[in-house]
Amino acid sequence: MEVVENTFEVERVKKSKVTETDFGNLQFGRVFSDHMFIAEYADGKWGKAKIQPYQNLSISPASCVFHYGQAIFEGLKAYRSTKGEIVLFRPDQNHLRLNKSALRMCMPEVPKHFFIEGLKQLIDIDRNWIPEGDDLSLYIRPFLIADEAFLGVKPSSRYKFMIITSPTSTYYTGAVKVKVENHYSRACQGGIGAAKAAANYAASIFPATQAQKQGYHQLIWTDANEHKYIEECGTMNIMFVINGNLITPSIERDTILPGITRASILQLAKKWNMNIEERRISVDEVLAAIKNNSLEEAFGVGTAATIAPFSNIGIGENDYELSDFNTWKFSNKAKDYLDQVKRGTQEDEFNWTIKF
Ligand SMILES: *Cc1c(COP(=O)(O)O)cnc(C)c1O
């Protein structure tokens, strides 16, 4: 067990809202815990950082973020182990990725101390907000925005880094229906698809609502040039098991977000001696595998759902129903393994977690 150092100034709420919260009926991202972490950057350096009651911000309407969109974020979760400890899954990776996103968006790097120690101290203060139960966790949203009041297009000279948290239940219940997008794009080569930038989500909302009108939960994004190769699924990375091989789009291109769940699942597949192919995979290849019955599993991977199995894939005018995901070997085994590491009931052999 690690000790959480009280390194940041803390202003506590007068009265916690935790007892007013209905933990039996949590929706994703609607309820926020008592406190937030906030740090400010101005003129080339980070200034004060503190933990304060969750509250609205006072910010100029001319802030760059509203006009030119310098905004990036992260997403991770705190779990409660069966022994009652708090478990964080690979927060160091989220910190590294935030700073990679910052570089691409011309924003300052966030010091590791703010991200990791700030997060631990915040979660420790709000530890009563971490729900107990198999599908429950505390969703953590670190983010960085530009708040210089200036309408010229240039990198902002002022930023705010914040962490807010929200108790949550599973993102999807059951399998998801996905549709291959063949007109709109989430990301293009040379763009910002590999950064966890708010703007990528802005681009995805309209096409996603179109798919939802047709009864699908999520889109499968394809490459912006030809709409021929599969890239991601909604806000998740994507994997297929075809003829016993685990196939996933490689992240060499800058159109795919390098997911931490993706990387962790690939490590597990390697440990289990599964053949892994990180490469381009075309829609035609998946369609052929559906038709000749060699598509064994197809699923999205990301922090929100860990693994979201697909029940249906829409391709062109057709909808293809996949086999019952309860029978899928690899994805169920990987999900169980990851769930158990997060609950502390599986030995953490890769040193993925921080417990306190
Ligand atoms: C966050 C995100 C993912 C998943 O990343 P994890 O680190 O596994 O949560 C995948 N794709 C996109 C577009 C994302 O924004």
Side-chain angles (χ1 to χ4, degrees):
M1 187 170 329
E2 286 180 53
V3 177
V4 179
E5 307 256 358
N6 290 336
T7 44
F8 295 99
E9 180 197 327
V10 180
E11 183 195 334
R12 285 188 182 256
V13 292
K14 296 206 174 61
K15 186 177 178 302
S16 173
K17 295 192 307 299
V18 75
T19 49
E20 295 160 27
T21 306
D22 181 4
F23 282 87
N25 193 14
L26 292 169
Q27 286 177 295
F28 181 81
R30 293 223 180 258
V31 175
F32 302 96
S33 42
D34 289 328
H35 298 90
M36 63 188 283
F37 177 92
I38 182 162
E40 282 167 16
Y41 178 97
D43 303 321
K45 58 180 190 298
W46 285 98
K48 68 168 200 224
K50 67 176 222 175
I51 291 169
Q52 66 183 31
Y54 178 91
Q55 62 192 261
N56 290 344
L57 303 173
S58 171
I59 157 170
S60 166
S63 292
C64 307
V65 64
F66 298 136
H67 306 277
Y68 311 122
Q70 265 183 299
I72 56 175
F73 66 95
E74 275 302 324
L76 69 159
K77 286 175 171 177
Y79 306 86
R80 206 177 270 281
S81 79
T82 49
K83 291 182 201 141
E85 297 161 309
I86 298 170
V87 183
L88 295 174
F89 187 75
R90 310 189 78 179
D92 54 315
Q93 296 298 308
N94 294 95
H95 174 246
L96 289 174
R97 187 170 65 190
L98 182 77
N99 283 347
K100 279 192 190 142
S101 300
L103 185 68
R104 177 63 181 85
M105 302 301 284
C106 223
M107 301 168 90
E109 290 193 350
V110 172
K112 187 168 185 188
H113 179 65
F114 284 7
F115 195 100
I116 304 291
E117 300 310 320
L119 180 59
K120 281 165 65 178
Q121 196 179 336
L122 175 68
I123 303 294
D124 193 39
I125 288 171
D126 280 341
R127 60 161 64 221
N128 291 342
W129 285 89
I130 307 175
E132 272 172 63
D134 270 357
D135 290 332
L136 306 181
S137 58
L138 186 71
Y139 184 77
I140 302 165
R141 170 53 59 85
F143 63 112
L144 179 65
I145 58 161
D147 69 341
E148 180 181 352
F150 177 58
L151 293 181
V153 181
K154 68 152 186 89
S156 173
S157 66
R158 303 182 66 91
Y159 296 87
K160 278 187 171 60
F161 170 66
M162 289 167 274
I163 308 175
I164 57 173
T165 69
S166 169
T168 185
S169 175
T170 41
Y171 202 80
Y172 298 110
T173 41
V176 296
K177 293 183 171 187
V178 296
K179 176 182 175 260
V180 172
E181 177 58 61
N182 51 25
H183 176 73
Y184 295 104
S185 302
R186 187 193 81 92
C188 63
Q189 270 187 278
I192 57 172
K196 214 166 171 76
N200 288 323
Y201 283 70
S204 75
I205 291 172
F206 178 75
T209 56
Q210 298 299 103
Q212 280 154 15
K213 280 183 194 155
Q214 296 166 35
Y216 291 96
H217 297 102
Q218 283 282 6
L219 287 171
I220 291 182
W221 297 108
T222 49
D223 72 286
N225 292 346
E226 302 174 89
H227 296 292
K228 194 172 160 192
Y229 295 97
I230 289 172
E231 301 209 313
E232 296 205 52
C233 172
T235 60
M236 299 180 284
N237 294 113
I238 192 167
M239 295 187 174
F240 300 93
V241 179
I242 299 178
N243 277 329
N245 300 309
L246 181 65
I247 308 172
T248 189
S250 69
I251 51 170
E252 284 160 22
R253 288 164 185 272
D254 53 11
T255 52
I256 297 177
L257 198 284
I260 297 160
T261 316
R262 175 188 182 278
S264 308
I265 291 173
L266 290 178
Q267 258 176 280
L268 287 180
K270 199 170 163 202
K271 164 182 144 78
W272 293 331
N273 292 320
M274 189 148 178
N275 185 44
I276 300 169
E277 297 177 18
E278 283 184 77
R279 59 168 171 83
R280 298 196 99 183
I281 175 163
S282 68
V283 177
D284 285 347
E285 182 179 347
V286 171
L287 183 58
I290 292 172
K291 288 187 170 161
N292 68 23
N293 282 320
S294 61
L295 181 73
E296 292 156 18
E297 307 181 29
F299 49 94
V301 302
T303 295
T306 309
I307 289 182
F310 303 155
S311 61
N312 297 69
I313 303 183
I315 303 176
E317 295 303 307
N318 300 311
D319 182 79
Y320 299 90
E321 197 174 326
L322 307 187
S323 59
D324 176 8
F325 72 89
N326 290 300
T327 65
W328 298 357
K329 284 207 184 74
F330 176 75
S331 49
N332 284 306
K333 186 175 168 190
K335 182 166 190 323
D336 286 347
Y337 185 100
L338 290 172
D339 282 348
Q340 287 176 30
V341 167
K342 293 164 181 174
R343 300 288 166 203
T345 51
Q346 160 73 49
E347 188 203 332
D348 180 11
E349 62 194 290
F350 297 104
N351 249 323
W352 280 336
T353 60
I354 295 182
K355 295 192 180 98
F356 56 96

